[in-house]
């Protein structure tokens, strides 16, 4: 929980762009993977060991906590890597490690690193909480619990004064938004059987997101189903009942999405930041929820449902293999120069055209994800309304851009 007593909003970070987007939009903590021993080892461009000091530095500047995810299955040949990762994390000042394997948990505890228990351990009752409280200060509950069950566990922690190694009451964390897996808390073996790539080693091949038919092997009859995407659940969204989530007694709300782009992180974190603040300020209204839901729909999603929290029956499946986002981004060009005194950015147009009045997104490792509308522009040093492939385009930008930055046009889907 934050110093203000409000629940902690935890953001995903798969790279420096997403990290900066999370920081710029009001997260209280970030979680990230380094190298290969995390559950998104192949899903995104992970950080490397040498990035740890910079991650810690940026987050400390914003008073944001940092959590290293080291939550895959660990084999003997991984143990030296685990110790190296934990040692470097400790040296860099990383706040805590999210772990599921007992080897990681014990190594971190021995080093004096704060431990958070991953959802991979399927904590579903108070007695299991008591056990892991011997090692951890924060416990991520199983994704399959209802809010009623979550509330009971949180109340029992308070009632029985269950404390972690820090001497503080154990904090409960749950997932609040993002992709859901058909398997119990993500522990799936489909891609291991089909591709020899274990999801439990961060190498999921997304078998469940594909289109399937159900055929009776005896008769050859194809059973009619409402949806060919039989194993691909819609994305979790708790925004429309966030008041109930906070009232359950949780301390940390985690946003899924280490494999998502920086604009996804920016939009989702901004939306939940505003909603959490509105709840505590007494302004969490239906109108604000509707505005927030519209914003969430603009970025990557498979449709939304409430997961298991409200006790609804199963069957909330996505109906297409990709995103149902109402907007998409189209690559336009790359940053070339920034004239700081005039706040003017120069871009080289490399793909589609861009014109006055377009809504654009600029992303980069230091820039994060920034959106703006083009009010005026110069094209090859002339005041024109439109720039096309090959042109040099300059426009007013109220933040510094870098050579590595990319410009996208935001268009309706």
């Amino acid at each position: 929980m934050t110093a203000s007593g409000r629940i902690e909003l935890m953001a995903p970070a798969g790279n420096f762009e997403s990290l900066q987007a999370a920081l710029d939009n009001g997260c209280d903590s970030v979680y990230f993977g380094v190298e290969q021993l995390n559950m998104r080892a192949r899903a995104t461009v992970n950080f490397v060991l040498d990035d740890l000091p910079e991650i810690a530095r940026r987050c400390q500047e914003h008073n944001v906590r940092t959590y290293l995810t080291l939550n895959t299955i660990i084999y003997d040949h991984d143990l030296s890597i685990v110790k190296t990762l934990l040692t470097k994390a400790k040296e860099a000042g990383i706040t805590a490690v999210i772990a599921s394997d007992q080897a990681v948990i014990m190594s971190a505890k021995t080093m004096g690193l704060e431990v958070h228990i991953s959802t991979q351990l399927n904590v579903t009752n108070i007695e299991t909480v008591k056990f892991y409280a011997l090692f951890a200060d924060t416990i991520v509950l199983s994704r399959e619990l209802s809010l009623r069950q979550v509330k009971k566990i949180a109340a029992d922690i308070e009632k029985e004064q269950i404390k972690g190694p820090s001497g503080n009451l154990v904090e409960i964390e749950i997932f609040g938004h993002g992709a859901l897996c058909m398997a119990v808390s993500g522990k799936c073996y489909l891609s291991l059987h089909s591709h020899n790539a274990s999801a439990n080693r961060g190498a999921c091949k997304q078998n469940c997101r594909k289109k399937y038919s159900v055929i009776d092997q005896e008769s050859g009859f194809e059973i009619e189903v409402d949806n060919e995407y039989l194993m691909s659940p819609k994305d979790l969204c708790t925004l429309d009942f966030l008041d109930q989530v906070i009232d359950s007694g949780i301390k940390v709300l985690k946003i899924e999405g280490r494999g998502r782009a920086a604009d996804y992180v920016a939009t989702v974190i901004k939306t939940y930041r505003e909603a959490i603040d509105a709840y505590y300020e007494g302004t969490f209204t239906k109108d604000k929820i509707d505005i927030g839901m519209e914003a969430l729909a603009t970025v990557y999603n498979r449709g939304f449902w409430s997961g298991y929290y409200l006790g609804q029956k199963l069957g909330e499946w996505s109906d297409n293999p990709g995103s149902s986002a109402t907007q998409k981004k189209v690559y336009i060009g790359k940053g070339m120069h920034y004239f700081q005194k005039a706040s003017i950015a120069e871009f080289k147009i490399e793909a589609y055209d861009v014109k006055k009045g377009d809504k654009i997104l600029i992303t980069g490792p230091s820039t994060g994800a920034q959106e703006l509308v083009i009010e005026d522009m110069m094209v090859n040093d002339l005041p024109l309304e439109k720039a096309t492939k090959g042109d040099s385009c300059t426009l007013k930008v109220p933040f510094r851009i870098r050579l590595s930055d990319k410009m996208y046009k935001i268009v309706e889907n």
Side-chain angles (χ1 to χ4, degrees):
M1 178 173 280
T2 63
S4 65
R6 300 184 177 190
I7 66 166
E8 178 181 318
L9 177 60
M10 186 192 299
N15 53 36
F16 277 113
E17 288 185 12
S18 295
L19 174 65
Q20 194 60 46
L23 296 175
D24 290 341
N25 285 279
C27 71
D28 298 304
S29 59
V30 295
Y31 67 105
F32 53 90
V34 171
E35 310 291 354
Q36 69 268 45
L37 295 180
N38 70 89
M39 293 301 286
R40 294 295 182 272
R42 293 190 186 178
T44 185
V45 179
N46 283 288
F47 293 104
V48 296
L49 269 178
D50 290 342
D51 291 330
L52 284 171
E54 175 64 10
I55 294 170
R57 184 194 68 78
R58 288 199 200 186
C59 291
Q60 287 165 5
E61 284 183 354
H62 288 78
N63 196 30
V64 165
R65 285 178 284 283
T66 48
Y67 305 137
L68 169 66
T69 59
L70 219 171
N71 57 345
T72 61
I73 291 172
I74 301 297
Y75 297 112
D76 280 326
H77 65 264
D78 298 319
L79 292 176
S80 61
I81 300 174
V82 167
K83 289 182 180 178
T84 299
L85 281 172
L86 293 176
T87 299
K88 294 292 186 182
K90 177 77 172 177
E91 291 172 353
I94 299 302
T95 308
V97 58
I98 302 172
S100 60
D101 191 286
Q102 282 74 20
V104 180
I105 293 170
M106 291 308 297
S107 293
K109 189 172 185 294
T110 301
M111 290 182 187
L113 257 176
E114 183 178 321
V115 175
H116 293 188
I117 296 299
S118 170
T119 190
Q120 302 299 121
L121 283 174
N122 305 109
V123 176
T124 57
N125 61 74
I126 192 64
E127 293 301 322
T128 307
V129 168
K130 288 179 184 178
F131 173 77
Y132 285 117
L134 297 171
F135 315 99
D137 289 294
T138 299
I139 295 175
V140 189
L141 294 183
S142 171
R143 301 183 195 186
E144 289 71 43
L145 294 179
S146 68
L147 276 185
R148 180 180 297 179
Q149 292 170 308
V150 171
K151 188 171 185 176
K152 176 68 166 56
I153 291 172
D156 285 346
I157 290 172
E158 183 75 33
K159 179 181 177 181
E160 300 185 36
Q161 290 292 291
I162 302 171
K163 297 179 180 179
S166 67
N168 298 319
L169 289 180
V170 169
E171 295 191 340
I172 290 301
E173 175 185 322
I174 65 172
F175 281 84
H177 190 92
L180 281 173
C181 179
M182 57 156 295
V184 175
S185 281
K187 295 170 76 172
C188 177
Y189 287 92
L190 277 178
S191 62
L192 178 63
H193 294 315
S194 64
H195 296 86
N196 195 30
S198 175
N200 300 287
R201 293 278 288 178
C204 180
K205 292 293 186 180
Q206 301 275 299
N207 293 45
C208 62
R209 305 300 183 187
K210 298 175 182 177
K211 185 185 295 188
Y212 289 93
S213 299
V214 181
I215 299 174
D216 183 333
Q217 291 295 318
E218 291 186 5
S219 66
F221 176 73
E222 184 170 338
I223 299 172
E224 184 177 345
V225 292
D226 292 334
N227 187 350
E228 294 164 311
Y229 298 94
L230 294 169
M231 297 183 288
S232 181
K234 292 181 180 179
D235 287 358
L236 173 65
C237 179
T238 61
L239 187 76
D240 55 343
F241 58 97
L242 188 64
D243 51 346
Q244 297 180 57
V245 171
I246 297 174
D247 289 342
S248 72
I250 66 153
K251 306 300 182 185
V252 185
L253 189 71
K254 174 182 264 178
I255 305 300
E256 189 276 339
R258 281 186 289 139
R260 300 278 173 255
D263 57 306
Y264 172 92
V265 175
T267 298
V268 176
I269 294 303
K270 181 176 186 290
T271 301
Y272 275 88
R273 173 80 278 151
E274 291 174 350
I276 290 170
D277 291 346
Y279 168 85
Y280 288 105
E281 293 160 7
T283 59
F284 186 66
T285 62
K286 186 179 183 304
D287 286 344
K288 286 194 175 180
I289 291 172
D290 290 343
I291 292 170
M293 292 299 291
E294 286 183 11
L296 294 174
T298 65
V299 291
Y300 192 102
N301 71 86
R302 298 182 180 91
F304 298 126
W305 74 303
S306 58
Y308 306 93
Y309 290 136
L310 300 182
Q312 296 174 344
K313 66 178 183 178
L314 303 185
E316 295 280 349
W317 308 106
S318 60
D319 56 7
N320 65 71
S323 176
S324 298
T326 59
Q327 293 181 352
K328 65 179 179 181
K329 58 182 187 287
V330 178
Y331 178 70
I332 300 297
K334 64 182 180 183
M336 299 299 292
H337 190 71
Y338 186 68
F339 303 92
Q340 192 158 356
K341 288 185 178 180
S343 298
I344 297 292
E346 179 185 357
F347 288 90
K348 179 72 172 179
I349 308 303
E350 295 185 322
Y352 294 93
D353 60 25
V354 66
K355 63 183 184 300
K356 183 177 176 180
D358 280 345
K359 183 178 181 181
I360 61 170
L361 167 73
I362 300 172
T363 68
S366 298
T367 303
Q370 305 283 350
E371 292 185 1
L372 57 92
V373 174
I374 298 177
E375 296 180 354
D376 289 293
M377 61 193 298
M378 298 285 286
V379 181
N380 301 326
D381 296 325
L382 297 173
L384 300 179
E385 299 277 319
K386 181 178 178 180
T388 58
K389 185 176 180 179
D391 287 339
S392 172
C393 171
T394 56
L395 59 148
K396 193 87 169 177
V397 174
F399 50 85
R400 182 184 174 188
I401 67 128
R402 288 120 179 130
L403 286 174
S404 56
D405 287 0
K406 296 179 175 64
M407 179 202 288
Y408 299 88
K409 179 163 60 175
I410 303 297
V411 298
E412 298 297 316
N413 250 341

